[in-house]
Amino acid sequence: MATLFENITLSPENLASIRDAVQATLYETQRLTDCITLHKVKNNDPIAVIGGFDIVGKEGAGCDPTYIEKGIANSMQRWILGNWNIPLKVCYESVKGTIGEYALNNGTAIADLSDTDIMTIYTQMLVKAMESMIWRFAWLGDKDAKNVSAGGKITNGVDTAYYTTCDGLFKRIFTICTAATKQRTTISANEEATYNAQRSKMLEDGYATKLIDTLLMDADSRIVDDEDAVLLVTRGLADALTNDVKRTYKTIMPWEAVSDGFEQTKYGGVTIVKVSTWDRLIASGEKSGEKVNLPFRAVFANPRQLMVGTNADALISDLDIWFSKKERRNYIYSTGQIGTAILESDMIHAAY
C-alpha cells in the first residue's frame, strides 16, 4: 500500500494541519493548445485537404488546341483516436501516522476521504499530472513504443503503456521527414554519446545560430512566408541560441512571457517559442544510459498543421470520485480519447 505524506510524520512538533504544508515547486506544464490546434472529432472521421492545380500553360495559339484533363491536388486521412484511463484507489490507512491523519473524519466515516483536505490536495496534484499526460500522448506517443533494452527509445524501467495510447506528433513528423529528407535539418549535436557531450556540442561558438539559420533556409518558403508559422524549440536549443547570439553578435535576445509558461522571441523575423515541457518529457522518458534521445528538437509550422483530436469538449476529462462503503476505499477514475494528425505533410519542417 502506498503511504501518503510518509515523510511528514504525526507529532505535535510538526504541522497542525495538512493545509499548512508548502507545495513543492513543480514543473510548469505549458498549455498544449498554444502550440497545436485542437479538434473535437470521432474515431475514423475524415481529414480532407483540397490543394491547387499543377503547372499549366504551354506554348501555342490558334485554332483546334489539344485539350487535356487536369485534376486538383487533394488528400484525405482519418482520425485514429486511442483510449486512456486513470484508475486509482486510496485507503485511509495510507495516511495514518502522517500529518494527513489530522484531516481524517471521525468514527464510522473515517475511511471516507471524499470531503477531506486529503482528497482536495490529492486531486489537485492529479490534475497537474494529467496535464503532463496529455503532452506525453500528443507529442511523444508511440503505439509501437519499446524500452531501450528491447530496441526502442523509452527509458528502461518505464512502462511503455504510458506511451502507446496513440502515435504522437513527433512520431508523425519523423515519419514525414524520413520520406522527405529535405524537410529535415540535422542537429549533429544529438548524435554525441552522452547528454553532457550533446550539450557541449550545442553550446559551441556559432553552432546554434548556424543551425537556426540553416533551418530557416532549408524550410519551404510557404512556411517562412506564413505570418502565423512559429518555430517551436526545446528549451535547451533556445538557451543555446540565446547564448550564441550574445557571444556572436553581442546582442541580447529578449524572451517575452506569453501564456502558461511559454516564452517567445523573434529571430530573423520568425517567431520562436520555447517549449520547456518537451525537455522534461524527453529527458525523463527517452534516455539510454548517459545519452538522451534527440534532446534538441525544433518544429517549424503553422499550429493549424499540428492537430490533436478528442471526442470530448476538452482533452482532460472530469474526475469521477467516490467512496465505496463495502470496500471502505476511495476511488478515482478518468478516461478519454486522444489522437494526432499532421494536416499537410509538406507544410512542416523539423530539426533533430
Side-chain angles (χ1 to χ4, degrees):
M1 179 188 298
T3 301
L4 302 182
F5 320 117
E6 61 184 344
N7 294 319
I8 311 177
T9 56
L10 182 68
S11 60
E13 63 269 22
N14 287 332
L15 305 180
S17 167
I18 193 173
R19 285 189 176 274
D20 294 333
V22 178
Q23 181 177 307
T25 301
L26 302 177
Y27 287 107
E28 181 72 23
T29 300
Q30 298 159 308
R31 189 167 60 192
L32 179 63
T33 50
D34 281 352
C35 63
I36 57 94
T37 301
L38 180 62
H39 294 264
K40 184 177 181 180
V41 296
K42 298 188 296 296
N43 192 49
N44 208 41
D45 274 357
I47 308 169
V49 178
I50 301 297
F53 267 108
D54 196 358
I55 187 170
V56 294
K58 296 180 179 179
E59 176 192 6
C63 300
D64 298 322
T66 300
Y67 288 88
I68 60 174
E69 293 184 349
K70 278 279 186 177
I72 298 176
N74 62 89
S75 65
M76 191 175 78
Q77 53 184 313
R78 292 187 178 276
W79 282 101
I80 302 174
L81 302 181
N83 299 300
W84 58 266
N85 77 116
I86 301 173
L88 299 173
K89 62 181 179 180
V90 185
C91 176
Y92 80 98
E93 291 184 334
S94 66
V95 301
K96 292 182 71 174
T98 75
I99 187 62
E101 188 168 330
Y102 286 124
L104 292 173
N105 290 316
N106 297 316
T108 304
I110 189 173
D112 187 354
L113 306 180
S114 58
D115 61 348
T116 66
D117 289 344
I118 297 168
M119 189 57 70
T120 298
I121 293 172
Y122 192 86
T123 53
Q124 286 175 347
M125 296 301 100
L126 176 56
V127 169
K128 289 184 177 295
M130 292 172 71
E131 292 171 352
S132 180
M133 171 196 75
I134 293 299
W135 270 87
R136 186 178 69 249
F137 292 151
W139 282 100
L140 300 184
D142 184 349
K143 291 192 290 186
D144 300 314
K146 296 180 180 65
N147 291 115
V148 171
S149 58
K153 60 187 179 183
I154 303 303
T155 306
N156 287 336
V158 175
D159 190 342
T160 57
Y162 288 120
Y163 293 84
T164 53
T165 287
C166 67
D167 285 335
L169 290 168
F170 273 129
K171 182 177 181 180
R172 297 188 183 281
I173 289 168
F174 296 158
T175 299
I176 290 170
C177 292
T178 298
T181 56
K182 66 179 182 179
Q183 291 180 236
R184 176 191 176 184
T185 300
T186 300
I187 301 179
S188 59
N190 284 328
E191 299 167 8
E192 299 294 326
T194 67
Y195 177 71
N196 287 338
Q198 291 169 317
R199 186 171 183 271
S200 294
K201 182 70 174 178
M202 176 59 69
L203 291 174
E204 288 181 359
D205 287 353
Y207 186 93
T209 51
K210 182 179 179 181
L211 170 64
I212 298 302
D213 288 342
T214 301
L215 183 155
L216 296 177
M217 288 188 289
D218 289 347
D220 191 303
S221 62
R222 292 173 296 171
I223 305 175
V224 177
D225 293 341
D226 185 348
E227 62 182 17
D228 293 323
V230 294
L231 179 57
L232 306 172
V233 300
T234 54
R235 177 187 172 183
L237 177 50
D239 290 348
L241 178 63
T242 301
N243 291 334
D244 204 20
V245 167
K246 182 178 180 180
R247 289 193 305 263
T248 304
Y249 301 110
K250 313 302 180 187
T251 300
I252 300 298
M253 176 178 281
W255 288 90
E256 174 190 7
V258 281
S259 64
D260 287 344
F262 276 106
E263 292 181 276
Q264 68 179 34
T265 190
K266 287 279 190 179
Y267 182 88
V270 173
T271 298
I272 300 181
V273 177
K274 186 187 301 185
V275 190
S276 302
T277 304
W278 282 353
D279 299 68
R280 173 166 55 88
L281 293 175
I282 294 167
S284 63
E286 298 188 6
K287 190 173 182 181
S288 174
E290 295 300 314
K291 182 175 182 177
V292 176
N293 180 51
L294 307 177
F296 306 112
R297 308 183 187 187
V299 178
F300 190 24
N302 185 317
R304 82 184 190 100
Q305 303 290 342
L306 308 170
M307 304 195 298
V308 176
T310 182
N311 62 342
D313 292 327
L315 284 166
I316 295 181
S317 303
D318 292 336
L319 296 175
D320 189 7
I321 305 172
W322 74 96
F323 171 67
S324 172
K325 293 183 178 181
K326 181 179 179 181
E327 292 88 8
R328 313 306 293 174
R329 285 187 182 274
N330 302 269
Y331 292 90
I332 304 172
Y333 187 76
S334 182
T335 188
Q337 291 188 324
I338 187 173
T340 68
I342 304 293
L343 183 61
E344 300 171 89
S345 63
D346 59 346
M347 287 298 290
I348 61 99
H349 190 92
Y352 54 91

